Amino acid sequence: VGIILSLTVFFNVKEVTVTGKSIYNDNDIILSSGIQTGDNLVRLSSSKAENKILLSLPYVDTVTITKKFPDKVEIEVTPSVEFANIKYESGYLLISSSGKILSYSAAAKSGYPIIIGCENENFEPGSLVEIADEENNNAFYSLIETMIAEGVTEKITEIDVSDRYNISIVYDDRIRVELGSLNDISYKLRFSYMLITEKISINKKGTLYMKGNNSNEASFVEDTPETIPPPIIPP
């Protein structure tokens, strides 16, 4: 009898609250969850409601739904942070720092790096970037995670993940950093960022080749300036 009453009469939702920052209003978040007053707390699936919000509202990055017996539900959300553009067919996907697709448009959003070589399987806002090749997919997420963790995302204008054994990034549209594979990637990102910001002149363009195994060695090859031939003066 107690079980039956718990699933029918007792523990029914009377109040749903939203906490955390979001560009969406509370009513939109609650509506997207599918939770309604009168729903039974015991039978309510928090994970299903969380997934509904994540898929419906692209600019929500994480959701935690907590049941507060006897009759309340709390929805805690964190906002998505815009991170980069992925070249996709004839347009671009704007993604968050967690790899969530935020929008699709014909032009890349200014101020964010362009990721090339990422053959994403879908373009639906709200879903995560998913590369068909599992190893390439893991490499993509590992690189993004490490770049954010090491704080080396500022002024990065391009990220090339087309070859997981020869990953490269472009700093300030002037220096390409050849990182190689993901081996020692944290160290290579930190070291290259230090060299670019502290050792290489802001007027130089070229390619920085990194070595692994925590080596303090790197080689910078400066671009050769293009020479314009003198005009031909007819006799």
Side-chain angles (χ1 to χ4, degrees):
V1 172
I3 294 173
I4 294 173
L5 290 174
S6 297
L7 296 174
T8 55
V9 178
F10 301 143
F11 309 130
N12 291 331
V13 177
K14 291 183 180 179
E15 182 183 0
V16 183
T17 58
V18 177
T19 62
K21 295 182 179 180
S22 175
I23 65 170
Y24 306 103
N25 62 51
D26 292 357
N27 288 334
D28 288 339
I29 294 173
I30 294 170
L31 185 63
S32 297
S33 73
I35 300 173
Q36 299 178 339
T37 55
D39 288 348
N40 185 265
L41 276 179
V42 177
R43 292 185 294 178
L44 176 67
S45 172
S46 298
S47 60
K48 286 183 179 179
E50 290 167 355
N51 287 331
K52 285 180 180 179
I53 294 173
L54 290 172
L55 289 173
S56 301
L57 307 177
Y59 276 83
V60 171
D61 212 54
T62 63
V63 184
T64 302
I65 293 180
T66 306
K67 301 176 183 180
K68 293 183 174 291
F69 289 90
D71 55 13
K72 295 180 181 179
V73 174
E74 181 181 273
I75 303 175
E76 183 180 4
V77 298
T78 59
S80 297
V81 178
E82 295 175 346
F83 175 73
N85 303 279
I86 290 180
K87 187 75 178 73
Y88 184 82
E89 295 183 349
S90 58
Y92 294 86
L93 301 172
L94 178 64
I95 67 167
S96 75
S97 54
S98 67
K100 190 176 185 183
I101 300 171
L102 304 178
S103 64
Y104 173 77
S105 61
K109 186 162 184 179
S110 177
Y112 298 101
I114 294 175
I115 301 177
I116 60 176
C118 179
E119 298 180 0
N120 188 42
E121 290 286 278
N122 59 72
F123 63 95
E124 293 295 328
S127 59
L128 291 173
V129 171
E130 185 177 353
I131 303 172
D133 185 280
E134 185 178 355
E135 291 188 8
N136 285 347
N137 194 64
N138 293 338
F140 167 80
Y141 278 101
S142 179
L143 175 65
I144 301 306
E145 260 180 43
T146 307
M147 288 180 67
I148 294 170
E150 296 296 340
V152 294
T153 59
E154 187 179 1
K155 290 191 177 182
I156 299 300
T157 50
E158 182 185 293
I159 301 170
D160 188 347
V161 293
S162 53
D163 182 355
R164 67 176 179 271
Y165 300 110
N166 189 29
I167 297 167
S168 67
I169 59 177
V170 176
Y171 179 87
D172 199 24
D173 278 331
R174 62 186 179 87
I175 297 178
R176 178 171 294 277
V177 183
E178 298 285 351
L179 295 166
S181 69
L182 287 174
N183 291 338
D184 301 321
I185 191 64
S186 295
Y187 177 80
K188 287 186 283 188
L189 285 169
R190 287 197 308 273
F191 188 41
S192 62
Y193 199 76
M194 183 276 294
L195 292 175
I196 291 170
T197 55
E198 298 180 17
K199 304 296 183 181
I200 300 175
S201 169
I202 60 173
N203 299 317
K204 290 186 177 181
K205 296 182 178 181
T207 303
L208 181 62
Y209 297 91
M210 302 303 301
K211 293 184 178 181
N213 300 319
N214 289 337
S215 170
N216 286 323
E217 297 180 18
S219 57
F220 177 67
V221 179
E222 188 175 0
D223 289 348
T224 304
E226 292 184 8
T227 56
I228 303 174
I232 298 175
I233 303 175

